[in-house]
Amino acid sequence: MATSAFAPNARGYYGQFGGAFIPEMLYPNVEELRTQYLDILADPSFQQEYQQLLRDYVGRPTPLFEAKRLSAKYNTRIYLKREDLCHTGAHKVNNTVGQILLAQRLGKKRIIAETGAGQHGVATATVCALMGLECIVYMGEIDMERQKPNVYRMRLLGAEVRPATSGSKTLKDATNEAIRDWISNPVDTHYIIGSVVGPHPYPDLVARLQAVISEEMRKQLLEKTDSELPTHVVACVGGGSNAAGAFYHFLDEPTVQLVAVEAAGHGVHSGHSAATSVLGKPGIIHGSRTLLMQDEDGQITEPYSLSAGLDYPGIGPLHAYLGDSGRARFIAITDDDALRAVAELSRLEGIIPALETAHALAALDQLGAGPDDVVVINLSGRGDKDLETYLKYAEKLTTSK
Ligand SMILES: *Cc1c(COP(=O)(O)O)cnc(C)c1O
């Protein structure tokens, strides 16, 4: 990818987005990572261990499934990349497996992470248990209340969950606590960030670790369609890691339309939305310059989506650039349309998707794909974690509008 038009430059910029805007005291930690991550990722012993864990622990390669009844309904050819079948139920573990191996090679003994809905916290606690490393997950006090099963899962896996009690007591405050911890423990601690966000090199590191998704897609498409290239790749975007992984090996293939699907919540302009590509302006969040939902004074606006994984006020700098440069198309999907897509996939294919993933499925209506097209939808996660929400909104889980 060194020659890709969409790789970051040496300072971590994708066009005008990216970089590393960090407090001085964090500089040694980030610099250690920046100077070493590419060498470690390229090391044959790293690759051997990473590939083996992806296969035997995560369950890769995940299948590429031709969804025939869904295809018939939309009059196009639809394949689902089954990241929902990964261990722990979503793509997030691809990244945490890679970062735990990286942390070991950096000589770290202690892992910290922040989590909103708890999915990244669980994926981190999982690999820490696997490797026998101490794990501390920061989580907003309000999120801990809202996401109790994931708090229990993390504790069962041996992690310590520390409540963030300042500010709005949600993800942003948990992130601040994690950064504070990292500043105080620069030598023995690695901070596992869960999406293609944060200061350089995190967006590139996480994109490379998720790129296995599109690497497998190309091989599987060649077997099933006689071409490595689909016409469309569709993925939901919170921070953007599953989308980055699904897009990665197609970035420099201009015939492949890349479609990023954001959460419109109650409607893009309703005041209750997380459609950053429409509502965001350039600003700095979590150490990188990207599109960010903010008010006139530059204060971050609270995002809203029924889906906890898409409820984020920014997007990764790669995605900001893909939008800006016209390489990717952005679509925003409301809560209600996502719920309808949950019911549709459940009843047509016998697969209950995560609420985040349902946003990508709901975009099928707007793709304009025809019978000769090949559409790959990245099925980022399974719906088990959302069952309570699905029961609560049962009357909206219909297959018609
Ligand atoms: C966390 C999550 C997302 C959103 O995260 P990205 O970094 O944008 O991929 C999407 N789908 C599922 C199932 C998730 O758990």
Side-chain angles (χ1 to χ4, degrees):
M1 280 296 283
T3 56
S4 170
F6 299 95
N9 71 15
R11 285 162 49 243
Y13 278 88
Y14 305 84
Q16 59 162 314
F17 302 110
F21 297 82
I22 50 172
E24 181 107 20
M25 290 172 71
L26 211 53
Y27 186 78
N29 312 37
V30 175
E31 192 59 8
E32 179 186 32
L33 196 60
R34 186 185 72 79
T35 54
Q36 299 207 44
Y37 83 108
L38 288 176
D39 288 342
I40 293 176
L41 258 53
D43 187 81
S45 90
F46 175 93
Q47 278 303 325
Q48 201 260 333
E49 205 177 344
Y50 179 52
Q51 297 302 334
Q52 187 169 345
L53 282 175
L54 288 181
R55 190 182 68 223
D56 299 338
Y57 189 68
V58 175
R60 305 204 70 91
T62 59
L64 185 72
F65 172 67
E66 184 174 5
K68 292 201 172 134
R69 291 189 356 110
L70 194 67
S71 297
K73 170 151 187 189
Y74 288 95
N75 192 29
T76 185
R77 198 159 161 196
I78 300 167
Y79 287 90
L80 305 176
K81 180 61 173 161
R82 298 292 309 275
E83 294 302 295
D84 60 316
L85 296 178
C86 289
H87 178 45
T88 70
H91 66 286
K92 286 194 172 72
V93 71
N94 301 325
N95 169 48
T96 58
V97 162
Q99 284 204 47
I100 202 88
L101 295 176
L102 179 75
Q104 286 180 321
R105 280 157 178 79
L106 291 169
K108 308 294 177 179
K109 302 272 178 283
R110 185 174 172 273
I111 299 296
I112 58 171
E114 90 291 332
T115 196
Q119 296 302 107
H120 172 58
V122 170
T124 302
T126 298
V127 297
C128 287
L130 176 70
M131 295 302 178
L133 293 185
E134 183 184 357
C135 180
I136 292 141
V137 180
Y138 290 93
M139 189 169 185
E141 204 170 35
I142 290 181
D143 290 336
M144 284 179 70
E145 195 53 44
R146 287 193 291 204
Q147 311 285 343
K148 276 190 186 150
N150 277 340
V151 175
Y152 295 148
R153 279 188 189 99
M154 287 184 268
R155 289 186 173 145
L156 193 55
L157 291 160
E160 182 189 337
V161 185
R162 288 194 190 160
T165 55
S166 62
S168 57
K169 304 182 172 58
T170 58
L171 179 61
K172 151 170 77 58
D173 314 289
T175 304
N176 290 339
E177 294 290 333
I179 290 171
R180 217 166 288 150
D181 181 314
W182 207 20
I183 289 173
S184 318
N185 298 284
V187 178
D188 68 339
T189 299
H190 176 65
Y191 180 13
I192 299 191
I193 291 184
S195 192
V196 285
V197 301
H200 179 63
Y202 279 102
D204 188 46
L205 168 64
V206 178
R208 285 168 185 265
L209 293 173
Q210 292 290 357
V212 63
I213 299 173
S214 48
E215 188 184 323
E216 289 173 6
M217 280 178 185
R218 287 185 73 124
K219 289 186 196 138
Q220 292 167 322
L221 282 165
L222 184 60
E223 283 168 17
K224 290 168 200 291
T225 70
D226 294 328
S227 167
E228 287 181 43
L229 304 182
T231 55
H232 302 73
V233 180
V234 187
C236 66
V237 173
S241 69
N242 88 87
F247 294 170
Y248 198 86
H249 290 284
F250 300 112
L251 286 169
D252 297 304
E253 304 282 2
T255 61
V256 181
Q257 284 194 44
L258 306 177
V259 182
V261 186
E262 293 183 305
H266 293 164
V268 172
H269 299 289
S270 65
H272 299 277
S273 161
T276 308
S277 73
V278 185
L279 302 170
K281 297 194 177 52
I284 290 165
I285 181 172
H286 299 161
S288 89
R289 184 168 195 275
T290 187
L291 289 176
L292 171 63
M293 288 168 49
Q294 52 191 312
D295 64 20
E296 325 267 86
D297 303 325
Q299 292 296 317
I300 296 173
T301 318
E302 270 311 305
Y304 166 82
S305 165
L306 184 59
S307 135
L310 303 184
D311 187 357
Y312 181 71
I315 46 173
L318 166 63
H319 294 292
Y321 182 55
L322 292 177
D324 213 35
S325 62
R327 178 67 189 90
R329 172 180 172 196
F330 279 74
I331 292 177
I333 293 295
T334 62
D335 290 350
D336 285 0
D337 284 341
L339 288 167
R340 272 192 284 274
V342 169
E344 185 172 84
L345 192 72
S346 302
R347 286 163 208 180
L348 285 179
E349 300 290 350
I351 299 170
I352 302 174
L355 189 51
E356 293 83 3
T357 313
H359 288 73
L361 293 158
L364 274 168
D365 258 345
Q366 298 176 44
L367 284 189
D372 296 332
D373 290 327
V374 173
V375 178
V376 180
I377 299 177
N378 199 38
L379 212 76
S380 58
R382 66 178 85 130
D384 305 32
K385 69 179 179 59
D386 298 310
L387 271 192
E388 226 174 293
T389 306
Y390 296 167
L391 283 171
K392 187 169 165 198
Y393 293 96
E395 82 286 357
K396 291 186 174 177
L397 282 154
T398 68
T399 49
S400 56
K401 289 198 184 179

